[in-house]
Structure formats: C-alpha cells, structure tokens
Amino acid sequence: MHREPSRRPGALDGWTPWPADVAERYRQLGYWRGETLGEMLRDRARQHPDRVAVVSGGRRLSYGELDRRADRLTAGLLRLGVRPGDRVVVQLPNIAEFFEVCFALFRLGALPVLALPAHRRAEISYFCQFTGAVAYVIADRDGGFDYRELAGQIQQETSTLKHVLVVGDPGRFTALSSVDAEPGELPGPAPGDVAFFQLSGGSTGVPKLIPRTHDDYLYSVRASAEICALHADSVYLAVLPVAHNFTLSSPGSLGALHAGGRVVLSPRPSPDEAFPLIERERVTLTALVPPLVPVWLDAARAPRHDLSSLRVLQVGGAKLSPEVARRARSTLAGCALQQVFGMAEGLVNYTRLDDPEDLVVETQGRPISPHDEIRVVDDEDRDVERGQVGHLLTRGPYTIRGYYKADAHNAAAFTRDGFYRTGDLVRLTPSGHLIVEGRAKDQINRGGEKIAAAEVEDHLLAHPSVRDAALVAMPDALLGERSCAFLVPHGRPPAPREINAFLRERGVARYKVPDRIEWVDSLPKTSVGKVDKKALRRRIAEELAQA
Ligand code: AMP
Ligand code: DBH
C-alpha cells in the first residue's frame, strides 16, 4: 500500500520531498513501507498489549497502556484545537510522557519540534516563532530549572502559541494529564508526510529544522534495530536526552519499541543513576557520548552493580579515541562496543557487531543502507582517491533533501543533485568504513553537543563592549573540545564573567556559553579577508599546551 504525501489542507509547506522516481525506488526496495509511526505503535500494542514498553521512575507502561494513552491524548489535543499540520514544540526530560505526547501528535498529524532540555529562551522562542507553534509541552521542573517560568516568557513573545501543556504541577498553564478525551475516528497522516522536526547542531546564525517523514524515519529505525540485533527481549536504556536523534532512532527508543522490547529511561547519564537501572531492568543496550565512557568504565570497575546483562555499548556524537575504545572493550567483558557516527539530517554509520577489533576501535562504522550514497570530495566537489581525506557528501533513503524553510541555506548545504554536505572530513577504509578526520563546518563539538559558531558570535556581538567576535574549538581532555571566544573590545574589555552573564540573560543555552574568552586587538584574516579561524584554533591550542 502506498499513499502519496498528503495534499490535504494543513499539509506542510517549506520542505523538499525526495524526487518522485527516487521515492518510488525506495518503496520498491522495501525501505519505505507505507507505515506511520503511530501505526507502528498500534501494531505492537495489538501483538503484545501486556508487555512493558516504557519504564520511567515508578511507572511501567505496557504497550497497551501507551497505545491507549496516546489515543486519548490525540483526542484531547484535537478538542483543545490542535489540528493536523500544526507544530508543537516538545521539550521534555527523559520521562514516559515524552512518548505519550509524541505518539499522540504523530497520530494526529501535528508535528513535534523536538527541543532539548538544555535549550533556553533564545532557542525555544526561535523554534516557536519560526514554526508558528500552537503549543509548547514542558515538565514543571527538571534539573533545578523551572520550565514554567520559561514558558511564561515564551508565551509573551509568541502570538501563535495558544497552549502550554505541563507534566506535573501546571501552575497557571494546562496540566498534560487533563488533556484527555474519548478517541474518535481520525484520518491520520500519510506515511510520506513529515512526522516531526529534529534539530541540527548547525553552523549558521540560527538553528536549522530537519523535517523527517514517517517512511524515512521508520526505515532508519527498523534497519538500525536489525544491525543492533534487537528483539522482543531487548532492553534499551536511554541515558542521553530522549529527543536526540541518536537516542530516539539509532536504534534508540523507537528501535526498541519497533522490536517489541522495553525502553528504560534514566533521568541523567551518570553511573549513579544508570547502573542501578541496568541491574534492575537487565538492560541489554545503551548509548553514550565519548566523554561519558571513561566515567562509566571507572565506575564499572568497582563491582557495585551487576552490568552483566549489557550486550552492546554504543558510542557516538563525537569522535571516540581508539585508546578509550580499547579500554571499553577490555573493561566490559561480554559487551560489544559499537561506534555510531550519525546526524539528525539522516545518514547513520555503525560498526557492526561482528566487525574485527581494529575496525570497531579505529573507525566510525559504515552506513546503514546499501542505498546510502557516499561521496568523499575535495573543495571543488571532485571525488578524492579512495582512502584520502575529503568532505563527506551523502544522499539516501533517510537523508533529507533540504532543511525546513531555508532555501538560501539549502542551496549551499546540498548539492544540485541532492547530496547533503555533512561538513565532516572523512576517509574511507577498503572495507567501506568511515573514519572521521575532522570538520569543515564552523561548529564546535563539545563532547557531542554541537555549537554553531555563528549563532554564538551573533549573541556576543550584541554586547556593547564587543566589536568583533570569533568562536573556535579548543582541545579539552574531558570533552574533546570546548569553545573559546576571541573578542575585540570597544574600549576597556569587561570581565569574562560579565560576557557570560550577558549571554545567559539573552536566554542562550548554557552549553553554548564560551568556556573561555580571549581579548585581542584584532582578528587575523585569511587572504580573502575571512576570519582565520584555523590560526585562532592553533593559537589557543598552543597557549593551552604551554600552560
Ligand atoms: P547534527 O547534524 O547536529 O545531528 O550532528 C551530527 C554531527 O555530529 C556529524 O555531522 C558529526 O560532525 C558529529 N558526529 C556524530 N557522531 C560522530 C562520531 N561518532 N564521530 C565523530 N563525529 C560525530
Ligand atoms: O551526533 C548525532 O547527531 C548523532 C550521533 C549518533 C546522531 O544523530 C545519530 C547517531 O543518529
């Protein structure tokens, strides 16, 4: 069965579908199966209603319960006035309600915009305004932060925003638990429709939104679950934020649900919180960013918790050093290490569970699909010789053809024939595995958290004492990279503390606030007059090496 992306009133404008012939090929190949995310859950709930789907704090939701709650929430949202095609910013910590809300929106055909818990006023306000969101879903408090205060500010700035839905104590807003109605008949979205928006780490002044369809996302989830050998007895522990593409789909929570397994939610990534859950729930698979690996390995050496159920430890989001990779393999007996190099735009690479040690330790894996097209090119888009380092371009059955409403940026971020310019510098091994050698995009990868330099520079330039600004990566033993801002002052430079406070007041997420500030008389320029960031990176790296 195949339904075309819908042309109903309310269907999404501003996104680039795959060309019709390409889409048809992906369907014929059996990648796009004409199923929506909402139907996927329905199907699993029919097959095994009583199996546990999600464990979160004291809650254990069966597939049947999750399915019913999603249906009632769908009906409740409709009654509130949320319509198919509407956008809803969802910013929730690792709690079961994340899945209730997302599946309800999927079934309604309204589109979640998946914000991260770390986002603050600057980011959330942008997401709400850019997408014209009608609702914003939050938890009352988490990690010492009151999201209701943030919601109050957002609501004042966003004319489209009609509803703030709160998990927990709603204050002056609407309790999510009160959004509930008797389910009725609904047409539901088509599988080729955009299901939701992921966020890009980006490299530009404003974050980019990534439209993912039911068809394309489900393919990546299903294929990822196969690569990771998930089955109905698999237990996935989500330790990174649930909304992150890695945690959600590689194979992540959705992969575990697709396989009929169980998702266990850890509120934080620390061993203190995660290890008791691994022991109690007999977790088989989990995913970390590189900075967490040494912390976990140290904690695993003290035999306080039984981690013997772990079959696969995934690491991705930033480059894992081969030394740490080796240590992980030797420390966690019986548990395979898997490197994952992915992006919310699509392409995900995995080392395979039966890959030889050197590939698992030294490479970032190979693509999910035989129809992931990979090109490694020089600055003029000419293919480099195999084994040489170049820019990674990709196109395939689950890689987007354009960001949402970003025509000008899309012209630069995609080739004319639809390849996504990842901004990563890679090298291909004879086995077809990729090794990430660096980055051409203007971004800092702070232990897996991506920071678009231009976005932070724009905020810095808004400070009256800052005449010019350049944000670059500096090496860091713990996080791999941290951010360093080189600033040219107007007059006397203020204390770095003041600059940081200024950014926080502007509502910039904490992880984007520069880790270090260097005042300079001017910024070095390249021969074509651009800021010479290479020189700045070298300068701060040398300074740190001497310290
Ligand atoms: P985003 O586009 O914001 O989803 O971020 C994806 C980017 O994260 C990739 O393009 C890489 O730059 C980086 N990344 C993800 N996984 C890895 C990895 N295993 N090794 C190196 N870089 C990675
Ligand atoms: O960093 C990422 O964005 C990422 C890493 C691993 C990702 O999106 C993924 C796997 O799916």
Side-chain angles (χ1 to χ4, degrees):
M1 172 184 59
H2 111 247
R3 282 171 271 160
E4 287 294 330
S6 57
R7 295 277 164 265
R8 288 187 314 273
L12 190 72
D13 290 324
W15 75 288
T16 320
W18 285 260
D21 57 326
V22 177
E24 185 50 35
R25 191 160 73 241
Y26 292 152
R27 281 191 286 263
Q28 267 168 10
L29 285 162
Y31 295 156
W32 295 0
R33 295 197 174 163
E35 187 184 34
T36 63
L37 287 154
E39 289 163 348
M40 185 274 280
L41 174 65
R42 172 93 66 235
D43 207 53
R44 297 303 174 279
R46 278 206 196 104
Q47 287 164 349
H48 36 67
D50 300 326
R51 288 185 75 102
V52 176
V54 180
V55 178
S56 166
R59 289 183 78 191
R60 303 179 79 76
L61 271 176
S62 70
Y63 276 87
E65 287 165 332
L66 177 58
D67 185 53
R68 268 191 302 283
R69 175 63 186 136
D71 272 345
R72 296 195 63 94
L73 191 50
T74 307
L77 287 165
L78 255 176
R79 197 163 69 184
L80 271 187
V82 179
R83 293 284 168 261
D86 281 350
R87 276 77 60 199
V88 174
V89 174
V90 177
Q91 184 183 33
L92 289 173
N94 289 7
I95 53 178
E97 286 82 354
F98 173 83
F99 297 100
E100 299 174 355
V101 169
C102 285
F103 280 109
L105 292 169
F106 293 154
R107 284 183 180 168
L108 181 51
L111 313 182
V113 180
L114 296 182
L116 296 173
H119 288 137
R120 291 295 177 262
R121 197 182 71 243
E123 292 88 12
I124 300 295
S125 149
Y126 175 77
F127 301 146
C128 287
Q129 289 176 26
F130 186 73
T131 65
V134 301
Y136 174 35
V137 186
I138 54 172
D140 49 4
R141 302 179 59 84
D142 185 60
F145 183 74
D146 194 326
Y147 287 89
R148 292 162 301 188
E149 276 176 30
L150 175 56
Q153 295 167 338
I154 300 292
Q155 209 177 28
Q156 277 180 3
E157 301 168 355
T158 317
S159 56
T160 54
L161 198 66
K162 297 193 200 88
H163 308 284
V164 174
L165 309 177
V166 186
V167 178
D169 174 4
R172 63 190 172 90
F173 301 113
T174 308
L176 183 75
S177 57
S178 72
V179 183
D180 180 68
E182 208 49 55
E185 273 298 306
L186 254 184
D193 286 347
V194 173
F196 67 102
F197 293 101
Q198 270 292 357
L199 305 176
S200 163
S203 55
T204 54
V206 289
K208 292 286 174 287
L209 283 94
I210 299 170
R212 300 293 303 257
T213 67
H214 296 271
D215 265 336
D216 94 71
Y217 212 61
L218 268 174
Y219 169 52
S220 82
V221 164
R222 184 175 67 242
S224 295
E226 270 163 32
I227 287 168
C228 295
L230 293 190
H231 48 73
D233 292 323
S234 298
V235 182
Y236 177 76
L237 180 71
V239 298
L240 304 172
V242 266
H244 192 283
N245 197 57
F246 188 9
T247 322
L248 194 58
S249 70
S250 298
S253 307
L254 290 181
L257 295 177
H258 189 278
R262 188 188 311 163
V263 177
V264 178
L265 301 177
S266 181
R268 323 272 142 226
S270 69
D272 285 356
E273 308 246 13
F275 284 14
L277 290 172
I278 296 176
E279 177 173 297
R280 190 185 83 200
E281 301 292 334
R282 305 297 292 158
V283 168
T284 61
L285 168 71
T286 191
L288 302 179
V289 286
L292 286 171
V293 179
V295 181
W296 274 47
L297 293 182
D298 284 348
R301 258 189 231 101
R304 286 189 39 230
H305 291 284
D306 177 9
L307 308 180
S308 63
S309 57
L310 265 185
R311 290 289 160 267
V312 181
L313 178 70
Q314 300 182 295
V315 184
K319 176 123 177 195
L320 178 67
S321 79
E323 297 74 57
V324 177
R326 276 203 190 84
R327 205 141 61 77
R329 281 177 54 98
S330 60
T331 307
L332 298 169
C335 175
L337 173 72
Q338 180 180 59
Q339 294 212 43
V340 188
F341 163 39
M343 51 206 75
E345 288 82 354
L347 179 72
V348 183
N349 305 277
Y350 297 96
T351 57
R352 300 307 199 259
L353 301 182
D354 57 358
D355 273 345
E357 164 154 21
D358 59 330
L359 287 177
V360 172
V361 165
E362 313 268 355
T363 82
Q364 279 63 61
R366 62 182 170 84
I368 289 179
S369 176
H371 286 81
D372 279 320
E373 299 171 67
I374 297 290
R375 288 186 65 201
V376 183
V377 303
D378 65 15
D379 290 344
E380 271 76 50
D381 281 356
R382 288 176 303 224
D383 294 289
V384 300
E385 265 182 57
R386 185 141 182 148
Q388 298 300 304
V389 177
H391 303 274
L392 172 64
L393 311 184
T394 186
R395 178 170 87 164
Y398 59 98
T399 297
I400 57 163
R401 294 298 183 114
Y403 293 101
Y404 178 53
K405 285 198 206 159
D407 288 345
H409 180 65
N410 285 340
F414 295 82
T415 65
R416 292 172 65 151
D417 52 357
F419 279 82
Y420 168 54
R421 299 182 188 276
T422 66
D424 293 310
L425 298 173
V426 304
R427 176 158 70 82
L428 264 172
T429 67
S431 58
H433 288 62
L434 295 165
I435 299 176
V436 180
E437 296 285 2
R439 191 170 56 231
K441 55 190 163 191
D442 197 4
Q443 187 182 76
I444 293 106
N445 189 333
R446 195 176 183 274
E449 288 184 309
K450 283 73 171 190
I451 304 168
E455 185 184 336
V456 178
E457 288 159 5
D458 284 350
H459 286 294
L460 289 165
L461 285 167
H463 191 285
S465 300
V466 175
R467 189 146 59 92
D468 212 350
L471 193 78
V472 298
M474 60 182 183
D476 182 78
L478 240 53
L479 296 181
E481 295 174 11
R482 282 183 198 264
S483 66
C484 175
F486 284 90
L487 302 179
V488 181
H490 267 307
R492 216 164 57 87
R497 219 175 336 106
E498 189 192 310
I499 299 290
N500 290 350
F502 174 78
L503 293 191
R504 301 302 305 280
E505 273 157 36
R506 285 176 69 82
V508 177
R510 183 188 289 269
Y511 69 90
K512 295 180 187 170
V513 173
D515 292 296
R516 181 177 173 125
I517 288 173
E518 296 277 301
W519 293 100
V520 289
D521 292 335
S522 64
L523 297 176
K525 299 280 160 59
T526 64
S527 53
V528 294
K530 289 208 292 192
V531 174
D532 189 350
K533 292 205 161 175
K534 218 186 228 168
L536 290 173
R537 282 194 291 271
R538 204 165 43 229
R539 176 169 157 177
I540 186 64
E542 279 167 10
E543 211 168 298
L544 290 172
Q546 278 161 18

